[in-house]
Amino acid sequence: MRAILYITALCVFCGALMISCNSTGQDQEFVVFSGMVTESDSTTGIAGVIVTDGLTSSIVDTTDERGFFQLRGIDKKKHTVSLTKDGLEPVEYEFEYLGELARPLISKKFVMNPVEE
């Protein structure tokens, strides 16, 4: 009975420690903006899309073979993310990061459509 009590207390302590490590309650100065790019509401990702934070243009990534990307170093301010690829309509997404996340990650799905001729 005593062993079960000790194990339960240890589990509660470890759970509380994990929660405190994941959510500090402090603002995150920089975050990662990640996402997936698909075509025409499909679930299949598009490789080779250039993703840029338009305001700094130094934060750039290209989608991988599954359509995923990550922009690292997004700081507290307004951002305009631009997605471009030949043959597809460009997409822009505006957001403002205020530093209020419990973990340093923002994620979004984008849909790009073929250029209409």
Side-chain angles (χ1 to χ4, degrees):
M1 181 70 169
R2 229 180 209 171
I4 292 173
L5 184 59
Y6 287 129
I7 291 171
T8 303
L10 181 61
C11 289
V12 169
F13 173 76
C14 289
L17 182 61
M18 287 173 59
I19 290 170
S20 68
C21 289
N22 288 332
S23 179
T24 62
Q26 298 177 357
D27 287 352
Q28 298 290 331
E29 190 169 333
F30 295 99
V31 294
V32 175
F33 182 86
S34 67
M36 179 182 187
V37 182
T38 63
E39 185 174 338
S40 301
D41 291 325
S42 165
T43 57
T44 304
I46 304 172
V49 176
I50 299 170
V51 185
T52 308
D53 179 2
L55 297 178
T56 63
S57 71
S58 62
I59 303 175
V60 179
D61 195 16
T62 302
T63 56
D64 64 15
E65 66 279 353
R66 297 174 299 148
F68 290 101
F69 69 88
Q70 288 189 341
L71 298 178
R72 297 183 176 277
I74 298 294
D75 58 355
K76 293 182 195 178
K77 65 179 177 184
K78 290 184 181 181
H79 295 271
T80 301
V81 175
S82 300
L83 296 92
T84 57
K85 182 173 179 163
D86 289 342
L88 298 172
E89 296 279 342
V91 172
E92 283 196 346
Y93 174 71
E94 293 184 1
F95 72 98
E96 183 172 6
Y97 173 55
L98 302 173
E100 299 171 348
L101 296 178
R103 57 180 218 193
L105 182 67
I106 302 171
S107 187
K108 175 120 177 92
K109 180 181 175 187
F110 295 94
V111 176
M112 295 183 79
N113 296 306
V115 173
E116 294 183 23
E117 296 180 22

